[in-house]
């Protein structure tokens, strides 16, 4: 164990182990993304695909298609909020120590520009150590294909010790 990297101290979560097993290929990333949507079915509405997942960071995307557009033909704001919550939650899940649990507590979201193409979201969060219950802020940015940031969200995750630990 590298003492300068506190993220490697805990054994990886089931989610992270599944990603590490399947995330290295396009088919594996598709499979992993579908498994996440089976666990949390609402996210299937946007058909996300994860591209990166590690403690402290998660990235996923979805394609612009009629099902996720609004009346003016751009990607719907709530579809992007859905993507934000997905990457924030999955990123938190692989970042918390084994003795901790998490649940979303709130979201502040800014719609910065119209998304007229496929979108991708990146969630970043600070190291999470075993300890007292607390709020952890997960920052999420959504970009369109041209690299324009179209959404920024700060998602508050309530992280607490698992009962009996």
């Amino acid at each position: 164990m590298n003492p300068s990297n506190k993220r490697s101290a805990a054994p990886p979560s089931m989610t992270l182990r599944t990603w590490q097993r399947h995330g290295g290929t396009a088919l594996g990333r598709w499979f992993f993304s579908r498994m996440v949507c089976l666990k949390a079915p609402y996210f299937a509405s946007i058909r996300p695909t994860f591209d990166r997942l590690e403690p402290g960071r998660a990235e996923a995307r979805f394609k612009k298609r009629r099902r996720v557009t609004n009346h003016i033909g751009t990607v719907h704001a709530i579809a992007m909020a859905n993507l934000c919550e997905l990457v924030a939650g999955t990123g938190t899940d692989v970042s918390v120590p084994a003795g901790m649990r998490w649940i979303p507590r709130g979201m502040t979201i800014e719609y910065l520009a119209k998304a007229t193409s496929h979108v991708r979201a990146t969630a970043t969060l600070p190291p999470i150590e075993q300890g007292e219950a607390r709020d952890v802020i997960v920052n999420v940015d959504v970009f369109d294909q041209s690299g324009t940031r179209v959404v920024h969200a700060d998602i508050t995750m309530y992280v607490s010790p698992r009962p009996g630990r």
Side-chain angles (χ1 to χ4, degrees), residues 85-112:
E85 186 179 354
L86 173 66
V87 295
T90 309
T92 302
D93 194 65
V94 303
S95 299
V96 297
M100 302 290 279
R101 62 185 178 171
W102 62 275
I103 190 163
R105 183 174 265 188
M107 180 188 317
T108 302
I109 190 162
E110 299 174 86
Y111 301 104
L112 306 170

Side-chain angles (χ1 to χ4, degrees), residues 95-97 100-103 105 126-137 156-161:
S95 299
V96 297
M100 302 290 279
R101 62 185 178 171
W102 62 275
I103 190 163
R105 183 174 265 188
I128 302 170
E129 309 257 347
Q130 185 73 34
E132 298 295 318
R134 63 198 171 279
D135 287 339
V136 173
I137 306 298
T156 303
M157 299 293 187
Y158 180 68
V159 177
S160 63

Side-chain angles (χ1 to χ4, degrees), residues 8-26:
S8 64
S13 68
M14 174 70 80
T15 304
L16 186 56
R17 287 193 312 270
T18 303
W19 172 258
Q20 289 168 338
R21 176 177 291 161
H22 299 290
T25 67

Side-chain angles (χ1 to χ4, degrees), residues 26 31 35 42 49 65 76 86 89 141:
F31 173 76
M35 295 302 293
Y42 179 71
T49 301
R65 59 191 202 293
H76 197 285
L86 173 66
D141 287 304

